[in-house]
Amino acid sequence: MSRRILITGTAGFIGFHLARLLLAEGIVVHGYDGMTDYYDVELKRRRHALLQAMPGFSATEAMLEDRAALDAAIDGFAPDEIVHLAAQAGVRYSLENPRAYLDANVLGTFNVMEAARRHAVRHLMMASTSSVYGANPEMPYAETMQADHPMTIYAATKKATESMGHAYAHLWGLPTTMFRFFTVYGPWGRPDMALFKFVEAILADRPIDIYNHGEMYRDFTYVGDLVRGIRLLLDTPPPQVEGRDTPPLEGDSLSPVAPWRVVNIGNSEKVRLLDFVEAIEAELGVAARRNLMPMQPGDVPATWADASLLQALTGYRPQTDIRDGIAAFVAWYREHYRQ
Ligand SMILES: NC(=O)c1ccc[n+]([C@@H]2O[C@H](COP(=O)([O-])OP(=O)(O)OC[C@H]3O[C@@H](n4cnc5c(N)ncnc54)[C@H](O)[C@@H]3O)[C@@H](O)[C@H]2O)c1
């Protein structure tokens, strides 16, 4: 029988790419997405329409907080594994509307965990974020470093899901992997993120806001690399506590009391914001009008992943060059928006 995977957030940027990858492999996928209006719902509908055209895909359109709908979808589909990506994302919006993060990320994730426990799925995988490293100045960030000082409610709710996931992994022996993603970009990307906003503004001859006067660094991760990492980790569930016969890998975040670990998925290269802007300008062949701004509240000056745990577990390390990734995004953007 075909493998069955339930993915939440399939109308979203990362969920869409992951679903496409798994469907192409012949895996049966059920998507669950509430089509929230945090950004352009039309873009979400187009992503879902592409998935609907692939054999093996079905979907439920409902919110995570709607427990009856979530239970019905998961009970009806009976997944072998669950990948939970739906969330209220975005660092900056969490200053405006913190409640949306509590609802979607804390209560919504709890509902997913309950269903995963009931079905005793082989592996539950859930998205966290590099933002949980918060104010930690030590870099590159490794999973075993402290991540106890979140700077936003977004980061705090994601840290909460890591802890909740650990408790369920311990109590119910539910193999759980938490991902910490680092600034993901690529075709079909999010309109609220820098690459999309910059390309859109530059092509419309509008100025772009560059925070901290461009002295910001991000570990940009190409979405194709990211979903490949997820795919490989899917087959690497954390082992149960009983029967562990090999010592943990060096730098492993594997819990001593639960089948639970947290894994960074990042490119391991920090890119200066101004270099990022220059690479976009070079690809578009247009100079940006730059609006240099101070640092925004809640923002961190840099993120940088140590991706050696991912490599040790899967043999894989993301490696798309930022220029190639930007070129792929721009090609998609021009075609999609006929620019
Ligand atoms: N993109 C990044 O750079 C990045 C970085 C770190 C972590 N993450 C995490 O990865 C995951 C996927 O992010 P993305 O970039 O694809 O975001 P996205 O906003 O494109 O996708 C999230 C999807 O979840 C759905 N959703 C949101 N709240 C919901 C709710 N309460 N009920 C049902 N559906 C809901 C939305 O409609 C959307 O389609 C998120 O958990 C996010 O926090 C993303």
Side-chain angles (χ1 to χ4, degrees):
M1 230 177 61
S2 300
R3 192 168 181 182
R4 302 168 73 77
I5 302 187
L6 186 130
I7 306 176
T8 68
T10 37
F13 172 39
I14 296 170
F16 161 71
H17 281 278
L18 178 67
R20 250 198 339 189
L21 183 76
L22 301 185
L23 288 165
E25 214 187 287
I27 293 174
V28 177
V29 173
H30 190 79
Y32 190 96
D33 199 300
M35 299 280 174
T36 65
D37 63 2
Y38 166 59
Y39 65 76
D40 183 17
V41 176
E42 187 50 36
L43 179 60
K44 296 184 181 183
R45 297 217 175 278
R46 288 194 190 156
R47 295 188 188 119
H48 245 194
L50 282 184
L51 297 178
Q52 300 279 12
M54 295 180 78
F57 184 74
S58 59
T60 300
E61 216 178 281
M63 297 295 280
L64 297 167
E65 298 90 316
D66 182 347
R67 203 168 113 202
L70 184 69
D71 285 353
I74 297 183
D75 294 350
F77 183 65
D80 301 308
E81 286 128 327
I82 295 178
V83 186
H84 174 41
L85 301 171
Q88 178 57 57
V91 171
R92 285 171 197 152
Y93 183 63
S94 70
L95 277 73
E96 248 171 77
N97 188 5
R99 191 171 299 277
Y101 293 74
L102 269 297
D103 291 345
N105 302 359
V106 179
L107 180 57
T109 297
F110 176 68
N111 287 341
V112 172
M113 282 168 33
E114 270 288 287
R117 170 179 79 85
R118 232 185 18 259
H119 281 276
V121 294
R122 258 199 313 251
H123 195 180
L124 170 64
M125 311 180 86
M126 306 202 282
S128 182
T129 169
S130 61
S131 299
V132 300
Y133 291 108
N136 189 343
E138 220 183 315
M139 282 188 221
Y141 292 140
E143 295 85 345
T144 47
M145 284 178 178
Q146 67 97 344
D148 296 325
H149 301 124
M151 313 263 276
T152 58
I153 277 290
Y154 170 58
T157 58
K158 287 292 184 175
K159 189 71 205 303
T161 65
E162 293 185 5
S163 301
M164 285 156 50
H166 183 271
Y168 262 40
H170 168 70
L171 290 170
W172 309 110
L174 184 64
T176 303
T177 299
M178 304 292 317
F179 315 114
R180 289 180 182 159
F181 299 150
F182 286 69
T183 316
V184 190
Y185 75 102
W188 295 96
R190 270 170 39 197
D192 62 319
M193 293 186 69
L195 178 56
F196 197 116
K197 287 206 288 196
F198 287 173
V199 167
E200 190 178 39
I202 293 171
L203 290 177
D205 196 28
R206 277 190 278 113
I208 57 171
D209 290 341
I210 301 178
Y211 294 106
N212 206 28
H213 304 278
E215 272 313 303
M216 297 255 271
Y217 296 81
R218 286 292 177 271
D219 193 333
F220 290 99
T221 312
Y222 188 63
V223 69
D225 291 350
L226 183 100
V227 296
R228 180 144 179 236
I230 296 177
R231 173 67 193 89
L232 293 166
L233 286 171
L234 199 56
D235 291 338
T236 320
Q240 296 292 345
V241 176
E242 286 85 46
R244 282 184 196 168
D245 38 20
T246 44
L249 299 163
E250 199 182 309
D252 199 348
S253 56
L254 182 65
S255 164
V257 294
W260 179 99
R261 64 157 66 90
V262 55
V263 185
N264 288 338
I265 310 188
N267 205 52
S268 318
E269 203 180 304
K270 59 183 174 109
V271 176
R272 190 162 159 249
L273 187 53
L274 283 178
D275 296 336
F276 183 63
V277 171
E278 276 169 24
I280 297 171
E281 291 174 324
E283 184 56 38
L284 291 174
V286 184
R289 290 202 280 133
R290 299 162 188 218
N291 193 12
L292 298 178
M293 308 270 286
M295 186 84 162
Q296 287 209 307
D299 243 357
V300 294
T303 65
W304 182 16
D306 178 337
S308 40
L309 179 57
L310 174 70
Q311 187 166 27
L313 291 169
T314 65
Y316 177 66
R317 175 181 276 274
Q319 47 207 214
T320 298
D321 185 89
I322 190 84
R323 286 173 291 263
D324 297 337
I326 288 174
F329 175 82
V330 168
W332 167 78
Y333 185 92
R334 284 191 186 282
E335 198 197 317
H336 194 80
Y337 294 100
R338 299 202 167 77
Q339 299 253 358

